Amino acid sequence: LKHQHDGAFWRSPVRPVDQIRIPCFLIGGMLDGYRDSIPKMLEHTKAPMRALIGPWNHSFPNDADFGPRVEWRDDAVRWWDYWLKGRDTGVLKEPKLTVFMRHYHPPNPKMENVPGEWRTEDGWPPRNVSDMKLFLRADHTLANSPSTPALHYLKYVPSIGVEAGFWWGELLSDQRPVDAYSLNYDSAPLDEDVAILGHPHALLHVSADTQLADWFVRVTDIAPDQSSTLVTGAGLSGAQRTSMADPSYLEPGKIYPMDIELHLTSWVFPKGHRIRVSISNALWPMVWPTPSATTTGLKLGDQHGSCIVLPKVPVHGPAPDYLRLPEPSEQRTDIKSVGYPWPGEWTLLRDEGRGKATVTWKGKAETDFPWGKEVDLEQLTYELDDAHPEINTVLGEADTVVQLKDRKLNWRGHLKVTSDHENFLYKYTRELLQDGRLIKQKTWEETVPRDHQ
C-alpha cells in the first residue's frame, strides 16, 4: 500500500527474465491472473523453455475448476528426466508452446468445459500472426478505416465493473451491465471466423477534466442474441500513462496518447458475431476508484485516432499429439474436503436512487482430518457512493475454525480499508479464541497518503 507505483520495491531482488539461464517448464491458463508472464518469458528468456497454456484459471491442468483438463505430470517428468538425468526423452524435438485456442461460448461463470482446440507454436510471437487494426469510429462502429474526427465524452460512474471480475482471472457473467456505462464500438457482423492469439493493444487518445482518471478497455464477443462474452481486457492509470515508476498528474482538457496492452488471450470470433471494444473509467471493485467526479474524452478520426490492434492468427494450427486425459490422483481416504474459498459467490446491491452500491463476496471450505475438522470462511464487502468515490470502503472477515478432540481454536481477521481525498486508512485486527474465549488479539492501524491514486 505504501508503494503505489513501480520501482525498486517491486523489482528487487526479482531477476529480469532475460537473465534466467535454467531450463523452465511453464504452465498457465487464459483465465489466470498471472498468464502474461508466460509469453514474456518465451520471447525474452534465453534458457530452454517449454510452456503449456490452457483455458484454466489459477489451478492445475489435471484438476482445474473447468476443462478441458489434461495430464501435465508425465510431461514434467520427461522434461526433468532430460535435464536432470540426461535421458533422451524427446522433449527438445517437441514445440515450445502448446496453447488452447478458445472458441466462442456464451457468458457462463459455472461452465464445465470451455470449447476450443489445442495447437502448437514453435515460440513467441505465434507463427503467421498479423496486426488487425480496427478504428473506433464516430458512429460507435469498429472498422479498418478511421471516421471523420469526433470527440466522445463519458461520465465517470465509479461503481461499475463487478461483472468484469475481481482480478481478470475467472469465468464471468454477461458483460452488458458494464457495457451500459461504457463507450462501446462494434464491428459489423463478421464475414468469416476470426482468431486472435496474443496481447491486443488499445491505442487511445484521451482527456479528462480532472488530474486523475483511469481507463479500462474490454474486448467482448457479441452474439446474435446480443449477449456479451469477455475475451480480454486491461486498464491503465492516467497518471502512469508514460511511466509506471514516475507518475504525473493529467492536465485537465489536454489530449494524451495512451497504449494499453491487454491481457494475453486466445479466441475465435464466429462468423456472424461482432467484435466489441468497450471503454470505461472504473472497474470496481477490482481497482480502487479515483477520488473525483470526472468526465473523460476520447478522440476519434484520422489515421492517429483511437483504435484497437488485434493479434490475428489462422483459425487452425498444428495439433499436438502428446496431450492425454488426466490420470487419477492419489487420494487419502481419511481426509475429505468440501468446497474452496475461491471463486466463491458474489452479489451486487445497487441503490439507483441514492447512487450507492454494495458488492459482497464470500467463500467457504471444510476439511475433515483424522485429528479433527477445519472450516474456513472468507467474506469481503465493498461499499461505494457514486457521488463520493473518494470514500471507498472494503470490509473483510476471515474465520478459520479448527475443531480438535479436546478443544476448538478459532482464528479471526477483521479488515477495514477506506479512503478520503488524501489518504488510505488501514485497520486490521487478528484474534485467537479457544473454546470461545479470547486468548490473543492484536490490531494494526495506519494512514497511508495517496500517491497519484
Side-chain angles (χ1 to χ4, degrees):
L1 191 60
K2 295 177 181 178
H3 300 270
Q4 298 163 37
H5 50 79
D6 204 354
F9 175 84
W10 300 106
R11 298 288 175 173
S12 178
V14 178
R15 179 175 295 177
V17 295
D18 60 1
Q19 294 182 13
I20 295 175
R21 295 291 182 266
I22 60 171
C24 299
F25 182 21
L26 313 171
I27 299 176
M30 286 296 175
L31 294 182
D32 189 330
Y34 303 103
R35 57 193 172 272
D36 295 339
S37 63
I38 293 182
K40 287 178 170 56
M41 290 184 70
L42 284 172
E43 186 172 9
H44 298 293
T45 301
K46 299 177 178 62
M49 290 279 148
R50 181 165 185 175
L52 172 65
I53 305 177
W56 318 295
N57 56 1
H58 197 59
S59 52
F60 285 104
N62 59 312
D63 61 357
D65 295 334
F66 47 86
R69 302 168 182 87
V70 299
E71 187 54 71
W72 64 277
R73 292 166 291 188
D74 52 356
D75 282 337
V77 170
R78 290 173 58 239
W79 178 257
W80 296 118
D81 274 355
Y82 176 84
W83 290 107
L84 298 181
K85 298 180 180 179
R87 296 176 180 173
D88 185 3
T89 58
V91 291
L92 294 191
K93 300 181 182 71
E94 296 170 352
K96 283 188 175 182
L97 172 63
T98 304
V99 61
F100 190 76
M101 176 61 73
R102 297 184 296 159
H103 288 196
Y104 168 77
H105 60 79
N108 179 8
K110 303 297 183 182
M111 178 174 293
E112 288 293 325
N113 282 286
V114 175
E117 60 189 67
W118 293 99
R119 63 198 288 168
T120 63
E121 298 288 345
D122 297 325
W124 197 265
R127 67 172 70 84
N128 300 321
V129 65
S130 60
D131 288 343
M132 180 180 179
K133 181 182 285 190
L134 298 173
F135 289 89
L136 284 57
R137 295 168 59 91
D139 60 356
H140 287 272
T141 60
L142 279 179
N144 56 15
S145 61
S147 69
T148 56
L151 194 60
H152 285 174
Y153 292 99
L154 180 66
K155 181 182 178 182
Y156 170 47
V157 181
S159 64
I160 68 163
V162 66
E163 292 85 1
F166 289 82
W167 76 309
W168 301 113
E170 59 262 62
L171 285 168
L172 299 170
S173 56
D174 199 311
Q175 296 295 289
R176 280 180 285 185
V178 195
D179 295 352
Y181 295 94
S182 306
L183 293 174
N184 300 306
Y185 302 88
D186 292 359
S187 72
L190 298 172
D191 296 329
E192 60 182 6
D193 292 355
V194 172
I196 62 172
L197 174 61
H199 295 273
H201 278 257
L203 306 177
L204 307 182
H205 293 263
V206 298
S207 64
D209 60 5
T210 54
Q211 290 184 318
L212 287 175
D214 297 333
W215 279 267
F216 300 94
V217 180
R218 291 172 297 113
V219 175
T220 55
D221 185 323
I222 306 301
D225 66 0
Q226 306 307 311
S227 61
S228 178
T229 304
L230 185 68
V231 175
T232 186
L236 185 61
S237 163
Q240 299 183 16
R241 62 197 176 276
T242 57
S243 171
M244 292 187 178
D246 187 21
S248 60
Y249 288 115
L250 298 166
E251 180 182 328
K254 182 178 178 178
I255 294 178
Y256 295 93
M258 186 174 289
D259 182 349
I260 302 177
E261 181 182 79
L262 277 58
H263 291 295
L264 172 69
T265 190
S266 69
W267 194 264
V268 177
F269 296 91
K271 178 181 177 180
H273 286 219
R274 291 175 291 129
I275 301 172
R276 171 173 291 175
V277 173
S278 299
I279 298 170
S280 65
N281 304 115
L283 212 64
W284 178 80
M286 188 191 304
V287 177
W288 205 274
T290 51
S292 301
T294 305
T295 297
T296 61
L298 180 68
K299 181 184 177 182
L300 311 170
D302 67 44
Q303 293 295 330
H304 302 290
S306 299
C307 66
I308 187 84
V309 181
L310 302 175
K312 185 178 180 182
V313 295
V315 173
H316 302 289
D321 58 5
Y322 41 79
L323 290 180
R324 298 188 299 107
L325 294 175
E327 297 179 8
S329 297
E330 183 179 355
Q331 301 289 337
R332 288 184 56 170
T333 58
D334 57 346
I335 295 179
K336 180 181 179 181
S337 295
V338 179
Y340 188 73
W342 181 257
E345 300 176 350
W346 62 266
T347 58
L348 168 64
L349 179 62
R350 185 179 294 280
D351 185 336
E352 295 288 359
R354 296 188 298 166
K356 295 186 178 182
T358 301
V359 170
T360 302
W361 172 89
K362 57 184 177 181
K364 181 180 180 180
E366 296 185 17
T367 305
D368 290 315
F369 296 97
W371 44 261
K373 183 173 184 176
E374 178 179 333
V375 179
D376 295 285
L377 302 170
E378 297 179 33
Q379 179 168 307
L380 287 166
T381 302
Y382 307 84
E383 299 175 343
L384 185 59
D385 181 345
D386 281 331
H388 295 282
E390 74 279 8
I391 308 173
N392 182 51
T393 300
V394 179
L395 304 173
E397 295 291 329
D399 199 359
T400 296
V401 179
V402 175
Q403 180 65 63
L404 304 172
K405 294 179 180 179
D406 59 345
R407 64 192 186 281
K408 181 170 74 172
L409 299 174
N410 188 349
W411 287 265
R412 292 177 180 172
H414 312 282
L415 170 72
K416 182 177 183 180
V417 182
T418 188
S419 61
D420 55 30
H421 269 291
E422 289 78 29
N423 299 300
F424 295 107
L425 311 170
Y426 172 88
K427 183 178 182 180
Y428 184 76
T429 298
R430 188 71 164 158
E431 299 171 343
L432 171 61
L433 296 87
Q434 178 174 317
D435 299 325
R437 180 171 60 89
L438 185 64
I439 301 297
K440 289 186 177 181
Q441 183 184 62
K442 184 175 181 179
T443 296
W444 295 262
E445 192 165 4
E446 194 159 358
T447 298
V448 180
R450 295 177 81 134
D451 183 357
H452 294 83
Q453 298 289 334

